[in-house]
Amino acid sequence: MAVSVATVARTQDAAQPAAAQPAADAAAQAPAEQPQQPAKVFDPLVRVMNIQGACEVKNPDVGSFAPAQNNKAYPLGTVVRTGAESSAILVFAESESVTLFENTEVAVVLSDSNPNGRVVRLVSGKIKTDLLDTLPEGCFSVETPNASCKNLAGRGEYTLSANADIETFQVGTVTGSARHLRVLPVRQQ
């Protein structure tokens, strides 16, 4: 919330009692109200927590996978993957997180359409979102190579599985919503 205070100073000869001072003077002296910027919903980095089993990260600055460090924050663009019988939680803010289940790989990136938004690019496996039900529109998305699910809020599960012939992307919401599911055209190899 922005609060502006205007003070009018006059010389003794031109001084007026405060009650008689025109309100227009104060309004004229007040700076123009700045448009409200949307509040940042997410932390600038993503934190990897509660690692169970094998979890690796590929920091975009390093370029190769290394074991993830529990409770360490990584930059956007980082790829995170879990091994067999493993899991980890990605924390985006105090009330926003994504659980990675076993054999899952994701990349966490900045949204193209919202400078405050986040996208989890699901390469393989299963994730569970735990987001506020009141998350502003356009803040969080899950994408796969062939589909995208935007404007997520609340809790949901997203699974991507593939074999030689078909890719299956399953979306399930527990609370909140998942809007704007879009299947992308199949890319010819």
Side-chain angles (χ1 to χ4, degrees):
M1 178 168 89
V3 176
S4 61
V5 177
T7 304
V8 178
R10 298 181 188 268
T11 62
Q12 185 63 33
D13 295 327
Q16 300 173 357
Q21 185 177 20
D25 277 351
Q29 298 294 325
E33 187 173 319
Q34 298 295 319
Q36 288 275 10
Q37 294 294 322
K40 293 197 186 278
V41 176
F42 304 110
D43 297 334
L45 304 173
V46 62
R47 187 171 300 280
V48 178
M49 299 185 67
N50 295 18
I51 297 171
Q52 302 293 319
C55 180
E56 296 179 311
V57 294
K58 182 166 65 171
N59 185 319
D61 299 331
V62 176
S64 60
F65 280 98
Q69 295 178 27
N70 196 42
N71 201 27
K72 181 176 178 182
Y74 293 92
L76 296 179
T78 297
V79 177
V80 183
R81 68 181 178 193
T82 57
E85 299 181 20
S86 301
S87 65
I89 297 176
L90 305 180
V91 178
F92 295 90
E94 184 178 329
S95 299
E96 278 68 48
S97 65
V98 171
T99 301
L100 308 182
F101 293 95
E102 69 177 335
N103 298 319
T104 296
E105 183 173 329
V106 301
V108 179
V109 297
L110 187 66
S111 170
D112 291 335
S113 60
N114 180 348
N116 295 322
R118 298 294 182 265
V119 176
V120 173
R121 292 198 174 128
L122 183 58
V123 177
S124 62
K126 178 180 179 180
I127 63 173
K128 180 179 79 174
T129 59
D130 191 3
L131 309 168
L132 289 175
D133 288 341
T134 57
L135 198 62
E137 188 167 322
C139 281
F140 201 88
S141 301
V142 173
E143 296 179 351
T144 74
N146 296 307
S148 65
C149 194
K150 298 185 178 196
N151 297 328
L152 304 181
R155 293 182 297 146
E157 292 187 0
Y158 306 84
T159 304
L160 178 63
S161 58
N163 61 31
D165 299 324
I166 193 165
E167 178 182 277
T168 305
F169 180 47
Q170 296 177 323
V171 175
T173 58
V174 179
T175 66
S177 61
R179 298 174 295 238
H180 305 286
L181 180 61
R182 178 174 168 227
V183 178
L184 305 173
V186 176
R187 293 181 275 246
Q188 298 295 326
Q189 302 266 347

